[in-house]
Amino acid sequence: MLILTCPCCGVTADETELAGGGEAHVRRAGPGASESEVEDYLFMRENPRGPHFERWRHAYGCGKWFLAARDTATLEVFGTYPAQTTEPPEHIRAAITERHPGWRWRDFS
Amino acid sequence: MSTRRYSAFALAREALRDHLGWQRAWAKASPKPRYDVIIVGAGGHGLATAYYLGKNFGIRNVAVLEKGWLGGGNTGRNTTIIRSNYLQDPSAAIYEKSRALYETLSQELNYNVMFSPRGVMMLAQTEHEVRGYKRTAHANSIQGVTTEFISPERVKELVPIIELKGPRYPVLGALWQARGGTARHDAVAWGYARACSDMGMDIIQNCEVTGIRSEGGQVTVVETSKGEIGCGKLGLVVAGHSGVLAQKAGFRLPIESLALQALVSEPIKPCMDVVVMANTVHGYMSQSDKGEMVIGGGTDAFNNYTQRGSFHHIEETVRALVETFPMISRLKMLRQWGGIVDMTGDRSPIISKTPVDGIFVNCGWGTGGFKAIPGSGWAMAELMAKGHSPLSAAFGMERFREGRFIDESVAAGVAH
Ligand SMILES: Cc1cc2nc3c(=O)[nH]c(=O)nc-3n(C[C@H](O)[C@H](O)[C@H](O)COP(=O)(O)OP(=O)(O)OC[C@H]3O[C@@H](n4cnc5c(N)ncnc54)[C@H](O)[C@@H]3O)c2cc1C
Ligand SMILES: [Zn+2]
């Protein structure tokens, strides 16, 4: 059972209290975007075997959205952080790098 | 003299000489420096692709590379439901081709895959489902797929152990495909592997592909845990690991990998001789030849490569099935397991060329690709051999950019 701490209300909740919202930090393609940019935004996903960033909603709690960093190969949770963030914060990256030295993801390296 | 062909006569002969004459089903192989075609993934789809490359197109200088053991992926983990009652025309075409190939697969491969067309029933438990399944039945009759919408009374006749009245969701009818059913999953992989090996192909187990190299946009070499191997064409048929391999080859796929679980009960006397799916409440069940009730439900909510799922999904599935089949409430469960399924946005597969010349992908079968193994292998082989296949044409990966979805997510809430 996956257990995450909601950074909005501080409650440590198990999966049955949460709703998954897919990959985090996906940037919306703006007006004038090309077909392949829209395709990337709507359909293409990182789907990594390793560190991954996700949106979650504390559905049966405070109801707020937040983000989580998890390892899809081990199910380890690196931490959670507010949804009002466009890239993973420093302490999350540090936690991941400690486990996976030399790790980098997209342009956030 | 050794026994190669399986038959009643061979069985009798071997019985009289202590079964000493049987041969290995497929040869142990180590990699050659180069093959015309390399298939990555010895699941059903990879092996079927190799088989039809040899059988339909005479391409036999082929290797199938498998990181674990043959059939140890989703092919050996699924609940073996076979049906072709899909909504969209391209789906009906490839799934029905596949179902039809299953009818004669045991004879074709000289290997008993135990195809059992016992009938598949999809319960309608809401008004929406009633309308949806009637629509599917109409679509199927135009597509030439034999299905019908049946009444609750007929459901009870076919499945005496079912509770029609609910309480949460009464059974209002069902979509019934009389020639749908099940087959033995391991045997499908083993049968294709044996036939491939007979054609001189190499099936190399414990051989993980760790890198893919190309020159001038054309694939040249795969790096593996058993060294580098050259190839003319490369087929990536690795289900849940498709995204990982695509990344090694330098492109992305519209795929997410999730855990899907199943479980079986202790064996009991025969009590249900059809497959029943209850999509509204997320559960389905059939009885194996050994007497175990084979049970499955929906996927987990988050990306996962561990082949382990969350317990509350099993609880949800079992709760739904106990309501539908009250007599199973005191059954003990024997085993539970998970597989990593490759989900696309429109819940349809990808059989496609890729941005790298010579690399083809066959993936995205998600929660429902066992039934598709023969048809998918047939289409993928044609695509790899000729550059085009009528069966796979609609399933190209460019459909997402072009907005030509093959939307099966509405048609099949649980897509097994
Ligand atoms: C619990 C469960 C129930 C299901 N129920 C049904 C059902 O009732 N009906 C139905 O039609 N479908 C069902 N499915 C779906 C079905 O099992 C799959 O769609 C199908 O088996 C996929 O076959 P495949 O050959 O593509 O993949 P797999 O059988 O998973 O084969 C892929 C192979 O690739 C190998 N591989 C991966 N990476 C590498 C690498 N780097 N190098 C070398 N090899 C690699 C893997 O080890 C694996 O053996 C179910 C799935 C699950 C998990
Ligand atoms: Zn909260």
Side-chain angles (χ1 to χ4, degrees):
Chain A
M1 176 88 57
L2 179 65
I3 298 169
L4 297 174
T5 301
C6 172
C8 306
C9 67
V11 163
T12 295
D14 76 36
E15 208 187 316
T16 50
E17 200 173 318
L18 304 165
E23 189 175 316
H25 305 306
V26 176
R27 285 211 193 116
R28 196 190 161 122
S34 69
E35 280 186 356
S36 72
E37 282 164 344
V38 175
E39 178 192 26
D40 276 2
Y41 165 61
L42 287 176
F43 298 107
M44 294 300 182
R45 292 295 174 256
E46 289 296 308
N47 196 23
R49 187 174 190 282
H52 188 43
F53 304 92
E54 287 167 333
R55 290 156 22 99
W56 285 89
R57 197 166 85 87
H58 194 183
Y60 297 100
C62 70
K64 297 267 197 281
W65 285 97
F66 64 92
L67 306 183
R70 276 191 322 113
D71 194 318
T72 62
T74 61
L75 301 186
E76 178 179 3
V77 176
F78 298 115
T80 55
Y81 52 102
Q84 294 72 19
T85 329
T86 50
E87 47 181 73
E90 205 42 61
H91 72 279
I92 297 282
R93 288 194 233 183
I96 296 174
T97 309
E98 202 187 313
R99 238 342 148 227
H100 299 273
W103 167 87
R104 49 177 283 258
W105 180 68
R106 290 198 198 159
D107 47 351
F108 303 152
S109 58
Chain B
M1 198 184 81
S2 63
T3 295
R4 193 66 213 147
R5 231 191 121 66
Y6 301 148
S7 64
F9 173 70
L11 204 58
R13 184 178 62 200
E14 290 302 327
L16 292 176
R17 55 174 194 183
D18 297 331
H19 295 282
L20 294 173
W22 298 116
Q23 283 189 335
R24 294 183 74 99
W26 56 86
K28 212 174 161 187
S30 41
K32 295 180 195 139
R34 188 180 183 285
Y35 294 90
D36 292 341
V37 175
I38 290 181
I39 304 291
V40 188
H45 289 260
L47 291 163
T49 301
Y51 173 76
Y52 293 111
L53 274 172
K55 168 141 192 276
N56 294 353
F57 301 99
I59 300 172
R60 295 183 175 182
N61 182 13
V62 175
V64 184
L65 311 182
E66 167 56 50
K67 78 170 168 154
W69 68 96
L70 187 164
N74 293 345
T75 299
R77 293 164 186 271
N78 77 89
T79 47
T80 77
I81 299 174
I82 295 171
R83 60 183 181 90
S84 60
N85 53 353
Y86 283 72
L87 179 62
Q88 313 292 351
D89 292 349
S91 320
I94 195 165
Y95 287 107
E96 177 57 17
K97 169 79 184 172
S98 196
R99 201 204 56 77
L101 287 168
Y102 264 121
E103 295 257 7
T104 52
L105 196 60
S106 295
Q107 292 80 352
E108 157 128 22
L109 298 178
N110 178 232
Y111 202 96
N112 189 0
V113 304
M114 296 167 70
F115 177 57
S116 158
R118 57 183 68 181
V120 172
M121 179 186 294
M122 295 165 82
L123 301 180
Q125 292 178 286
T126 64
E127 284 299 333
H128 292 290
E129 266 187 316
V130 170
R131 256 174 277 152
Y133 287 147
K134 283 186 176 166
R135 180 182 174 207
T136 303
H138 291 312
N140 289 161
S141 72
I142 295 170
Q143 292 151 347
V145 177
T146 310
T147 62
E148 60 180 312
F149 190 84
I150 59 175
S151 67
E153 295 70 40
R154 184 82 203 289
V155 169
K156 186 76 184 174
E157 230 174 82
L158 287 161
V159 190
I161 66 168
I162 205 166
E163 168 59 61
L164 292 180
K165 288 208 272 314
R168 265 199 306 170
Y169 293 106
V171 174
L172 307 172
L175 181 63
W176 171 239
Q177 182 170 26
R179 294 301 289 177
T182 59
R184 170 142 193 235
H185 48 11
D186 294 326
V188 172
W190 296 340
Y192 276 120
R194 175 167 171 267
C196 288
S197 184
D198 277 351
M199 287 190 279
M201 298 178 179
D202 287 347
I203 298 160
I204 306 166
Q205 303 184 71
N206 298 311
C207 180
E208 177 169 4
V209 172
T210 52
I212 296 170
R213 293 211 306 262
S214 44
E215 263 167 44
Q218 164 76 42
V219 66
T220 51
V221 167
V222 295
E223 297 162 2
T224 78
S225 54
K226 297 196 172 184
E228 293 184 358
I229 315 175
C231 64
K233 288 177 185 169
L234 178 66
L236 305 179
V237 197
V238 293
H241 284 77
S242 298
V244 176
L245 276 175
Q247 197 188 19
K248 292 187 199 304
F251 58 91
R252 287 212 292 175
L253 286 171
I255 296 251
E256 303 228 50
S257 300
L258 309 175
L260 176 68
Q261 303 175 83
L263 57 162
V264 295
S265 75
E266 59 190 333
I268 54 174
K269 287 189 175 169
C271 65
M272 191 175 83
D273 61 1
V274 302
V275 181
V276 178
M277 304 171 66
N279 294 346
T280 292
V281 293
H282 261 197
Y284 59 91
M285 188 166 87
S286 64
Q287 188 167 23
S288 75
D289 293 346
K290 282 183 282 181
E292 302 158 332
M293 304 312 285
V294 181
I295 294 174
T299 57
D300 281 11
F302 53 84
N303 296 39
N304 182 349
Y305 282 87
T306 64
Q307 296 188 327
R308 268 180 292 150
S310 298
F311 184 73
H312 69 93
H313 280 282
I314 293 188
E315 206 176 359
E316 194 183 288
T317 298
V318 168
R319 200 190 305 135
L321 290 175
V322 167
E323 253 178 46
T324 319
F325 307 99
M327 67 154 266
I328 68 165
S329 69
R330 284 189 306 261
L331 266 189
K332 293 188 187 73
M333 292 299 146
L334 273 191
R335 291 189 300 282
Q336 157 268 336
W337 63 92
I340 299 306
V341 295
D342 37 342
M343 306 297 285
T344 60
D346 60 0
R347 299 295 181 261
S348 285
I350 295 171
I351 308 174
S352 184
K353 295 180 182 174
T354 69
V356 184
D357 281 343
I359 302 188
F360 300 80
V361 288
N362 181 343
C363 62
W365 293 99
T367 60
F370 174 71
K371 63 177 72 66
I373 285 171
S376 151
W378 182 286
M380 178 75 170
E382 189 169 25
L383 177 66
M384 291 187 76
K386 304 207 316 206
H388 177 80
S389 161
L391 268 185
S392 77
F395 295 99
M397 60 193 270
E398 68 288 348
R399 74 172 184 271
F400 295 96
R401 186 169 57 245
E402 295 168 0
R404 290 185 293 101
F405 312 118
I406 306 168
D407 190 355
E408 292 293 351
S409 54
V410 190
V414 181
H416 303 278

